Amino acid sequence: MSFDAIITTLRSILDVAIVWALIYVLLKNIKNNVKLSLLFKGIAVIILLKLISLWLNLTLVGLFLDYVIQWGPLALIIIFQPEIRNILEQIGKTQLLGRHKVLTVDERERLVYEVINAVDYMRKQRIGALIVLERDVSLQEYISKATNLYADITSELLISIFFPNNPLHDGGVIIQGDKISCAGAVFPTSNSLKINKRLGTRHRAGLGITEETDAISIIVSEETGRVSIAMKGELYYNITIDDARILLIDELRPKQEDFEDEYDEEEVYDEK
């Protein structure tokens, strides 16, 4: 093979690799955004209906879908402009090598221990709180507008931040890795119709940030003391402290560790 042929082959491989990398990053960020995930599901349904109309020769349905496909992209750009802008911003902010810091087992257990201890105290004392854990999608946009702390995580510090007389108690705390990055953060509120109308701004903000990123939100109700966790656009309302602890430990496990555990289980099964 000549040198020119080798260069051409390498260029083609690089071209395909870049395209696949872009598609991977795009799909990953779409998956972390609940609204855009639903949007793409709707697009997939329209394409499926179009194929069915061609197969069954449904003229009227096919004509209607042609108009939808022709003018749909323009309408989507106008209607979903904020979501499209957010997804482009997330692509730029996403940490391609994983979350802010991959925690060791001891660091992860200590993080969950301190957070759960603070949450348990605050629920008993009816102290409202919103704690957000950053994962792969950066929350720097919200950190930059809040009061920076970058302090070690302790239950005492979390409790003092949300104490009613503290000026920062109305906002949220963002945790990156094993550090409290900021306090007093303001998040977008969810407009989901699935959330109970009796729930206030704190719950809607906790759910809202999980609709746009892959973060985990822990909410303590000031009125009832109930604990809720929001992630992936879903709100798990009024869960026990033990359930909250198990959920956090499971969700904060690195994906590689999950794969290794599954591989170990398969090996044990094969040995049996």
Side-chain angles (χ1 to χ4, degrees):
M1 183 180 289
S2 66
F3 179 75
D4 290 340
I6 294 175
I7 293 298
T8 302
T9 302
L10 292 176
R11 187 182 294 114
S12 300
I13 294 173
L14 179 62
D15 189 19
V16 173
I18 291 174
V19 171
W20 275 110
L22 291 173
I23 293 174
Y24 169 76
V25 172
L26 180 63
L27 292 178
K28 181 180 178 182
N29 283 273
I30 288 173
K31 182 190 71 173
N32 294 330
N33 190 303
V34 176
K35 294 179 181 178
L36 283 180
S37 297
L38 295 175
L39 171 62
F40 272 77
K41 288 179 182 178
I43 294 174
V45 170
I46 291 174
I47 294 174
L48 180 61
L49 290 176
K50 177 60 179 176
L51 294 175
I52 292 174
S53 69
L54 291 173
W55 181 45
L56 298 177
N57 197 24
L58 303 176
T59 306
L60 186 59
V61 174
L63 183 62
F64 173 75
L65 291 175
D66 284 340
Y67 279 108
V68 172
I69 294 171
Q70 181 179 356
W71 298 104
L74 179 60
L76 291 177
I77 291 174
I78 296 173
I79 296 172
F80 291 94
Q81 184 270 335
E83 285 75 15
I84 294 173
R85 182 188 63 195
N86 288 336
I87 199 69
L88 292 175
E89 290 176 352
Q90 287 177 20
I91 290 175
K93 295 174 183 176
T94 299
Q95 301 166 27
L96 297 178
L97 297 180
R99 62 167 67 98
H100 174 74
K101 177 182 178 181
V102 177
L103 302 177
T104 65
V105 175
D106 290 340
E107 289 172 335
R108 191 165 66 243
E109 289 180 351
R110 181 179 175 276
L111 163 64
V112 174
Y113 174 81
E114 296 294 343
V115 169
I116 290 298
N117 274 1
V119 169
D120 192 28
Y121 177 86
M122 289 187 287
R123 77 176 179 87
K124 293 175 181 177
Q125 301 298 321
R126 301 287 180 88
I127 298 174
L130 173 55
I131 302 171
V132 176
L133 308 180
E134 180 190 85
R135 294 205 276 183
D136 290 330
V137 178
S138 173
L139 300 178
Q140 189 59 43
E141 174 186 353
Y142 307 99
I143 294 172
S144 62
K145 300 175 184 177
T147 301
N148 293 331
L149 296 178
Y150 203 73
D152 291 334
I153 298 174
T154 64
S155 56
E156 292 80 9
L157 178 56
L158 288 171
I159 292 169
S160 66
I161 290 173
F162 290 109
F163 196 76
N165 292 330
N166 191 317
L168 299 175
H169 84 281
D170 281 334
V173 160
I174 295 178
I175 294 176
Q176 289 180 308
D178 59 348
K179 300 289 184 181
I180 299 176
S181 289
C182 69
V186 178
F187 304 111
T189 56
S190 173
N191 294 319
S192 174
L193 299 177
K194 295 186 292 184
I195 189 171
N196 195 312
K197 294 181 180 180
R198 292 179 296 177
L199 299 180
T201 305
R202 185 175 284 115
H203 285 84
R204 291 189 175 276
L207 179 60
I209 190 63
T210 68
E211 291 177 340
E212 298 189 0
T213 71
D214 63 346
I216 300 174
S217 299
I218 307 151
I219 309 111
V220 181
S221 172
E222 187 174 355
E223 289 76 19
T224 64
R226 291 174 177 171
V227 177
S228 304
I229 288 183
M231 60 183 186
K232 302 174 184 176
E234 295 289 339
L235 180 67
Y236 301 90
Y237 179 69
N238 190 23
I239 63 176
T240 66
I241 284 294
D242 288 336
D243 286 342
R245 181 185 294 108
I246 293 171
L247 189 59
L248 288 181
I249 290 176
D250 185 57
E251 287 295 326
L252 292 175
R253 294 173 64 187
K255 296 174 183 177
Q256 181 180 359
E257 186 176 309
D258 290 338
F259 175 78
E260 290 174 352
D261 289 345
E262 291 178 2
Y263 183 75
D264 292 340
E265 289 176 1
E266 290 179 358
E267 283 188 339
V268 171
Y269 179 79
D270 291 340
E271 289 175 0
K272 290 180 180 181

